[in-house]
């Protein structure tokens, strides 16, 4: 069961809750709802830290961190409070039947939990799925605020082409440039699109399928009817790279501490962080 | 030959140059000089982007970006201007004789160029080597400002132990916990120490050796005499992890664009960014 915690309680999204570091008039901006799926691993706290510092520059933003876990990780909650971006910390474990699969649909349970929260709490603004290991140029957040239905743009560091993007000629989409098409209607990366909250609410059944490789496509299809001509093209008509699919090297779990040798040192407290 | 460009020209470090987003009294803080070696690769712009957004939260900070290249990469200069952290953009190519080695001493030429700049331009504050792929908790920057000679602290995601740290018992260093000691006097990661500018200036010959694996140790040894007892222990006596040795997965160069097929689309401009 998903658990909700937060620094903000409200029925209206983010009104009067602009942190002091932003000018007062930023509260007029359409709010951004950033859904970040995450899961326990050695790199988790580091990834959340640097993503959080990017988001901390963006006014009128609300961060939905959703863990693939039965219960919230305490060190994650502590870190979110310290980073001080307005947030909720939710959980959404992957159902057991998908855990058995060889190629798991990672992050789907988390993102659908985020969508559920938005349906229950938001009325305007824009939602965006921001994985914790990607890199985001601040410009993309300002550009996505004014999306009418769905907005799309290029994502760097994807596949052999080095980028995944809508193909744009004369201001309209004529296809998609992506190293893997796989029969998808929308061959696009998770970091390459955002959706208006009002538009999501007008599609009560829209959600992400538990189908590895087809998460983005399935979600976007579930928003149909959606005319390609209605898609807003950001990043200067898709000629700039403002989001990057950076991936971190995975580290093995740390070896346990030799307590006989180090039992009276700082290492006891230090290595507890790594568990 | 190193080339210098900058948004700031001055003889006194950073005086009156605090960006408007910080309170006026932050200009009283000792300045931080952050030396970041970097080199051209597909992930470079992404890495600089997210490191820059972390540094942008820190008042009275001056960023020395030093490229291992003959001349400055234009897209890097543009990005640095856009990120808007006070910076200089320098170059320092690795000497040819080291390029031939199987295990190259990466970043040494860059860091020594940074030290040279500091010797010529700084009189107070603290210097820190911050690689572009690591992750930094903002707390470490505030803690390092007041280092007397050298400060040290733990770095996460290093080796089989998951962390590299001074071993501290009763408030003093009794050794180092690191997956690889290798005969080093200071078995510590580049992200795990900072040095007072005044102390550096009192050691006119101190620099980093071109010796892979021994860069940190050689630089710290070149600061001798330095008593272990004089080392400031940050991160609550080395019981917290405030820096992480995150590493990004390397991507191959992007395949060239098929111009016959895509010559009249956005992809022409888009893929030029990847070169």
């Amino acid at each position: 069961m998903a658990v909700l915690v937060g620094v903000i309680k409200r029925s209206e999204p983010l009104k009067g809750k602009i942190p002091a570091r932003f000018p007062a008039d930023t509260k007029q901006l359409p709010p951004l709802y950033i859904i970040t799926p995450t899961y326990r691993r050695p790199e988790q706290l580091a990834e959340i830290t640097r993503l959080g510092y990017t988001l901390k520059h963006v006014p009128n933003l609300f961060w939905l961190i959703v863990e693939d876990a039965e219960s919230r990780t305490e060190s994650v909650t502590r870190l979110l409070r310290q980073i001080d971006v307005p947030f909720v910390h939710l959980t959404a474990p992957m159902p057991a039947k998908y855990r058995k699969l060889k190629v798991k649909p990672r992050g789907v349970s988390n993102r659908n939990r985020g969508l559920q929260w938005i349906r229950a709490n938001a009325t305007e603004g824009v939602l965006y799925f921001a994985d914790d290991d990607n890199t985001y140029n601040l410009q993309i957040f300002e550009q996505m605020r004014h999306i009418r239905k769905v907005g799309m743009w290029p994502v760097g560091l994807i596949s052999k082409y080095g980028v995944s993007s809508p193909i744009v000629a004369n201001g309209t989409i004529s296809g998609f440039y992506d190293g893997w098409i796989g029969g998808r209607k929308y061959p696009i990366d998770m970091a390459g699109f955002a959706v208006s909250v009002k538009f999501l609410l007008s599609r009560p059944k829209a959600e992400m399928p538990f189908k590895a490789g087809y998460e983005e496509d399935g979600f976007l299809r579930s928003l149909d009817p959606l005319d390609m001509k209605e898609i807003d093209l950001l990043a200067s008509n898709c000629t700039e790279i403002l989001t990057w699919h950076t991936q971190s090297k995975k580290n093995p779990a740390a070896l346990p501490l030799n307590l006989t040798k180090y039992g009276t040192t700082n290492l006891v407290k230090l290595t507890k962080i790594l568990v």
Side-chain angles (χ1 to χ4, degrees), chain A:
Chain A
M1 188 58 201
V3 181
L4 207 139
V5 71
V7 286
I8 286 183
K9 275 198 175 181
R10 67 217 155 62
S11 51
E12 286 295 294
L14 294 174
K15 292 248 167 76
K17 288 287 177 189
I18 306 297
R21 65 185 175 275
F22 299 115
D25 59 359
T26 53
K27 79 172 78 169
Q28 308 298 332
L29 293 171
L32 299 181
Y33 296 93
I34 308 298
I35 299 173
T36 298
T38 187
Y39 63 101
R40 197 73 200 106
R41 62 199 193 278
E43 305 79 31
Q44 184 184 34
L45 296 177
E47 302 286 37
I48 290 175
T49 299
R50 62 181 166 186
L51 172 56
Y53 290 160
T54 292
L55 301 182
K56 197 174 163 78
H57 290 293
V58 184
N60 218 1
L61 177 148
F62 196 72
W63 194 10
L64 291 84
I65 283 266
V66 194
E67 278 196 85
D68 181 349
E70 292 295 334
S71 60
R72 287 174 282 122
T73 305
E74 253 187 67
S75 55
V76 171
T77 308
R78 264 201 310 277
L79 179 61
L80 290 171
R81 289 201 175 115
Q82 191 196 102
I83 293 172
D84 196 26
V85 166
F87 73 96
V88 282
H89 184 182
L90 307 166
T91 59
M94 188 189 294
K97 59 179 168 179
Y98 301 118
R99 284 196 191 278
K100 288 175 206 152
L101 298 179
K102 205 170 169 185
V103 183
K104 296 176 185 57
R106 268 203 193 282
V108 172
S109 187
N110 320 38
R111 295 191 195 93
N112 281 332
R113 179 66 189 91
L115 292 174
Q116 184 194 339
W117 189 95
I118 287 174
R119 290 186 189 283
N121 293 279
T123 56
E124 52 170 354
V126 164
L127 76 94
Y128 179 53
F129 299 114
D131 288 357
D132 60 5
D133 52 352
N134 289 337
T135 302
Y136 309 91
N137 186 301
L138 291 175
Q139 291 179 70
I140 201 62
F141 296 105
E142 294 320 313
Q143 294 185 15
M144 73 172 71
R145 278 190 206 279
H146 305 286
I147 285 172
R148 293 166 301 174
K149 291 184 171 178
V150 171
M152 294 184 178
W153 60 85
V155 181
L157 300 177
I158 302 266
S159 83
K160 60 194 176 191
Y161 293 151
V163 66
S164 164
S165 176
I167 302 168
V168 180
N170 304 316
T172 55
I173 300 184
S174 67
F176 291 89
Y177 187 68
D178 191 289
W180 174 66
I181 299 299
R184 294 181 292 173
K185 181 177 175 189
Y186 302 104
I188 189 171
D189 184 73
M190 197 68 73
F193 68 93
V195 176
S196 141
V197 167
K198 278 196 203 306
F199 185 59
L200 177 80
L201 297 179
S202 77
R203 302 287 187 270
K205 288 182 183 164
E207 65 173 3
M208 192 165 284
F210 284 91
K211 195 177 169 191
Y214 293 84
E215 294 91 341
E216 300 91 341
D217 187 54
F219 173 65
L220 287 164
R221 280 175 191 254
S222 81
L223 292 169
D224 275 344
L226 168 69
D227 197 313
M228 285 283 183
K229 291 192 205 96
E230 297 177 310
I231 294 173
D232 294 317
L233 300 172
L234 309 191
S236 302
N237 258 332
C238 299
T239 59
E240 298 176 301
I241 300 179
L242 300 179
T243 53
W244 302 87
H245 186 241
T246 38
Q247 291 177 280
S248 290
K249 268 193 202 163
K250 288 194 186 309
N251 293 271
L255 289 181
L257 186 69
N258 180 337
L259 283 171
T260 315
K261 206 167 168 188
Y262 300 119
T264 61
T265 71
N266 63 317
L267 301 179
V268 176
K269 207 167 167 187
L270 192 59
T271 52
K272 273 190 188 147
I273 302 166
L274 305 171
V275 178

